[in-house]
Amino acid sequence: MKLHFANLAALVAVAHAVIQLPGVPFKSPVVVAPGFTARVIFSNLTAPRGVAFDSKENILVVERGLGVSVFSQSLATPVNAWNRELVIKNADLTHGIQIEGNKLYVSTAKDVLLYSWDPATRTVGSAAPYPVVTGLPADGELTTHTLYLEPGATRSNGMLIGSGPLTNIDLTARDPASGRSQIRRFVWPNITLPVYPPIPSRWENGQVIAYGIRNPAGFAYPTGPSVTPVNSRDLYVVENGASIDEVTGLTPAFVNDNPADELELVNYPTVTSSAVPKSYGFPDCTTLWNGSADPIGVPKYVGLPSGTQISLNLDKSRDDAFCAKTPALNQPPAHSVPLDIKFYTPPTVSGPATLPNTLANSAFVSFHGSFDRKPPTGYGVVNVPFPIKKVSSTPLGYSFIVQAKDLNSCPGSCIRPVGLAFSADGKLYVSSDSSGEASPGYFQLSVIETESASFYSCSSSRGPNLQQVDCYPWTNE
């Protein structure tokens, strides 16, 4: 795997584009698993978030508070330089991005917008963006709204959209009608640009496929074999656990190691159904990471395995027995902050830096990293073998591909991975934003062939042991 980052000194302005020269190191050192390399390909970005490839293998990145930039490999000298062009200037864009042909979807706090996009010229159409979904909850604590297009020939413009809570522990999220902490599905007739559909969809009219998921930050369909009921699909969702510092009966030592973040498996109907969507427990339930974090101050959870669902006792009727019905599929360590998940399908024709076929169908997850845990945790990208299994002890069944070298210095200028996207030639690209204290130069884009507040990708090293991927084990740092 290879990660690429660059700094401002290596940026050259050319017309309306900016070129970044190769060879710039990470702002803060990273550790990369054997068999992989990492490099920065672009830095000095504005809070890069969602990442997507178009049909011409251009990379589009949402820069939160700025707009959308497109990145392309330079065809002129110097070789291996990257071009960046700001193609959409819209400070309201937050995170979500999806591309289908000439249709470019992005999210604001309250809408999903559709732009006309030309991959060949790397330009948006002259028409104003069309709001395909309006009325998303815009007044909550987390309003980034992840987007995901349903793949398949019969998809007919189906899109999944996530929403976060109104507050950290949001009691209204118990009700699927609240529109909070849930995923909704929208299906609309085929859109042929530049003729736009006449009426936007309203958020409240979307199909609720799951609720009680505090912050569905990233979701993806598995690429490996799976058996699902007829007319349904499986969706894997990464979720950030709530901060429980102010919950009665818990101590600082306990909440330093709890709750775990979560990986959920959601099965939902793809046809009209009267079935009630499933709740995944928020706000009443959360997942235990370390029940022995404070054996004196909070002894009741000592001895319980990691992954146990526990009640926050916000309502007497929603106790531990109630919460036991909503276990997570897997649980990253407390405060890891998973923000995206992507499953890997090896390309038909591999290149010198393609990820190995041994990783086929496995998942990659970005861990943004903790901001108040001691010592810090996360700050990297992990690989999760498929099928993903419930694990209640360490090791948890996944491993770091790249991670900040000195976690004690984080967040600082450490990498803070956010969005993930695979290129057609089997490399993983990663965006990395930064903490509020960091300067804009800490934002980068890289390729696993990536760095801090950057855009990066992952690829395997060529050699006699190409198929041997030896990764660092996950530990509770």
Side-chain angles (χ1 to χ4, degrees):
M1 171 189 294
K2 200 179 292 182
L3 297 181
H4 296 275
F5 301 86
N7 63 21
L8 186 59
L11 302 181
V12 180
V14 178
H16 296 293
V18 175
I19 295 177
Q20 178 153 306
L21 307 181
V24 176
F26 283 88
K27 187 73 175 182
S28 183
V30 298
V31 175
V32 184
F36 295 85
T37 57
R39 62 184 171 92
V40 177
I41 66 171
F42 226 96
S43 57
N44 200 41
L45 307 180
T46 301
R49 301 286 295 188
V51 182
F53 280 89
D54 68 14
S55 60
K56 296 294 186 181
E57 285 296 283
N58 300 304
I59 309 168
L60 284 82
V61 179
V62 173
E63 296 191 50
R64 188 174 185 178
L66 178 63
V68 175
S69 292
V70 60
F71 298 82
S72 58
Q73 196 90 46
S74 175
L75 299 178
T77 54
V79 178
N80 296 326
W82 283 82
N83 297 324
R84 169 185 175 258
E85 300 174 77
L86 181 66
V87 292
I88 297 175
K89 190 174 183 180
N90 185 342
D92 293 333
L93 301 188
T94 57
H95 177 87
I97 182 168
Q98 291 283 272
I99 304 172
E100 182 187 34
N102 68 336
K103 296 186 281 286
L104 169 58
Y105 300 89
V106 288
S107 64
T108 71
K110 61 185 181 66
D111 300 313
V112 176
L113 302 179
L114 170 61
Y115 287 84
S116 175
W117 172 250
D118 187 337
T121 62
R122 298 192 295 273
T123 57
V124 296
S126 58
Y130 180 81
V132 291
V133 182
T134 60
L136 279 67
D139 57 346
E141 184 170 288
L142 301 168
T143 58
T144 47
H145 303 307
T146 296
L147 309 179
Y148 202 75
L149 286 168
E150 287 186 330
T154 60
R155 183 183 55 75
S156 184
N157 294 297
M159 176 178 281
L160 307 182
I161 306 174
S163 71
L166 177 63
T167 56
N168 173 50
I169 298 179
D170 179 10
L171 300 184
T172 70
R174 293 170 175 163
D175 181 3
S178 69
R180 313 279 185 180
S181 295
Q182 59 187 239
I183 301 172
R184 295 199 176 205
R185 178 176 183 253
F186 295 82
V187 179
W188 52 78
N190 187 52
I191 300 171
T192 303
L193 299 178
V195 179
Y196 294 106
I199 302 175
S201 300
R202 289 288 303 174
W203 173 253
E204 59 266 25
N205 296 328
Q207 170 195 354
V208 179
I209 66 169
Y211 71 105
I213 299 180
R214 179 177 175 268
N215 178 34
F219 27 91
Y221 297 109
T223 56
S226 61
V227 179
T228 60
V230 65
N231 295 323
S232 72
R233 301 197 74 143
D234 279 346
L235 183 74
Y236 288 81
V237 182
V238 290
E239 173 186 5
N240 304 156
S243 172
I244 56 175
D245 301 64
E246 298 180 4
V247 173
T248 301
L250 303 181
T251 65
F254 183 83
V255 302
N256 186 63
D257 245 7
N258 292 283
D261 291 322
E262 300 184 6
L263 172 59
E264 311 281 10
L265 175 57
V266 173
N267 179 265
Y268 70 91
T270 56
V271 295
T272 302
S273 172
S274 59
V276 177
K278 178 181 176 180
S279 169
Y280 289 79
F282 178 79
D284 297 280
C285 310
T286 196
T287 298
L288 194 69
W289 167 249
N290 179 9
S292 300
D294 188 356
I296 296 177
V298 187
K300 65 182 295 186
Y301 301 118
V302 173
L304 293 181
S306 177
T308 300
Q309 284 280 293
I310 61 173
S311 172
L312 295 180
N313 299 309
L314 306 176
D315 183 314
K316 291 182 179 179
S317 66
R318 297 172 182 250
D319 55 11
D320 287 346
F322 172 88
C323 291
K325 302 173 184 177
T326 60
L329 178 63
N330 207 320
Q331 67 284 349
H335 312 296
S336 296
V337 193
L339 290 184
D340 202 0
I341 178 171
K342 292 292 187 295
F343 288 87
Y344 176 55
T345 300
T348 303
V349 179
S350 62
T354 299
L355 289 168
N357 289 340
T358 51
L359 297 180
N361 303 320
S362 66
F364 288 79
V365 179
S366 60
F367 284 174
H368 197 232
S370 58
F371 69 92
D372 60 354
R373 186 178 185 274
K374 296 180 180 180
T377 191
Y379 300 97
V381 176
V382 300
N383 176 251
V384 190
F386 188 85
I388 300 174
K389 300 177 181 179
K390 177 72 175 179
V391 181
S392 58
S393 61
T394 56
L396 288 178
Y398 46 84
S399 53
F400 274 105
I401 296 297
V402 62
Q403 188 180 31
K405 183 176 182 179
D406 181 9
L407 290 177
N408 289 320
S409 70
C410 301
S413 59
C414 295
I415 58 168
R416 304 206 71 182
V418 183
L420 306 174
F422 287 105
S423 61
D425 61 352
K427 302 174 188 176
L428 176 62
Y429 287 74
V430 185
S431 66
S432 171
D433 70 6
S434 184
S435 62
E437 301 81 27
S439 70
Y442 289 0
F443 295 98
Q444 298 164 336
L445 173 63
S446 57
V447 53
I448 300 179
E449 240 190 345
T450 280
E451 180 181 10
S452 156
S454 59
F455 190 25
Y456 59 95
S457 76
C458 309
S459 60
S460 69
S461 314
R462 278 295 183 188
N465 298 320
L466 174 61
Q467 302 303 317
Q468 180 64 40
V469 180
D470 184 12
C471 297
Y472 291 89
W474 178 282
T475 57
N476 182 21
E477 298 289 343

